[in-house]
């Protein structure tokens, strides 16, 4: 669930293992790095599970929908720049353009950058 913090963007998290498993079931994604800590560690990600990319995109889309409730998306272009891990707290910053950036607390580099195009209505 999104939490708007005094104009500082939207906050989500912490990301949980059970939520990752739900996303994996919806996406039919059985990649073990999302489901088992030991698999994430063996793959070089460290001891926390890795959140599926589409779940990360959903955080940014949710923030954009909250900020523009009457808008309809025509196009969404996403650049996956990093990972989100189990336990991360997240922030989404929206900027004119419109675009959105997903950050994990404590990391300067974004995990995801998204450009939106909204449908134009007459």
């Amino acid at each position: 669930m999104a939490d708007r913090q005094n104009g500082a963007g939207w906050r989500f998290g912490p990301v949980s293992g059970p939520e990752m498993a739900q996303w994996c079931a919806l996406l039919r994604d059985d990649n073990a790095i999302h489901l088992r800590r030991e698999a994430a560690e063996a793959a070089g990600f460290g001891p926390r599970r890795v959140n599926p990319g589409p779940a990360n995109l959903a955080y940014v889309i949710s923030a954009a929908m909250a900020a523009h409730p009457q808008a309809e998306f025509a196009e969404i272009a996403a650049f996956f720049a990093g990972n989100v891990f189990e336990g991360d707290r997240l922030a989404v910053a929206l900027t004119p353009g419109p675009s959105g950036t997903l950050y994990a607390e404590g990391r300067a580099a974004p995990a995801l950058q998204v450009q939106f195009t909204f449908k134009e209505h007459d």
Side-chain angles (χ1 to χ4, degrees):
M1 176 161 216
D3 178 26
R4 183 78 192 241
Q5 299 284 323
N6 298 326
W10 283 261
R11 306 259 183 232
F12 299 89
V15 176
S16 76
E19 288 173 349
M20 286 185 208
Q22 288 176 336
W23 272 101
C24 286
L26 288 170
L27 297 167
R28 296 186 179 146
D29 181 350
D30 62 357
N31 188 329
I33 66 169
H34 305 310
L35 301 169
R36 296 189 352 261
R37 291 181 185 114
E38 57 275 4
E41 190 156 27
F45 291 105
R48 299 184 293 161
R49 292 176 268 201
V50 181
N51 204 36
N56 299 336
L57 180 58
Y59 292 119
V60 181
I61 291 171
S62 293
M65 290 173 62
H68 305 279
Q70 302 304 318
E72 292 181 58
F73 294 104
E75 185 175 342
I76 299 171
F79 174 69
F80 293 87
N83 292 303
V84 170
F85 298 98
E86 177 180 22
D88 280 349
R89 294 184 182 278
L90 307 173
V92 174
L94 297 177
T95 57
S99 64
T101 305
L102 178 70
Y103 295 94
E105 279 186 6
R107 284 180 256 160
L112 176 62
Q113 296 175 317
V114 183
Q115 283 290 138
F116 304 106
T117 304
F118 294 122
K119 289 182 181 178
E120 296 202 22
H121 296 282
D122 298 329

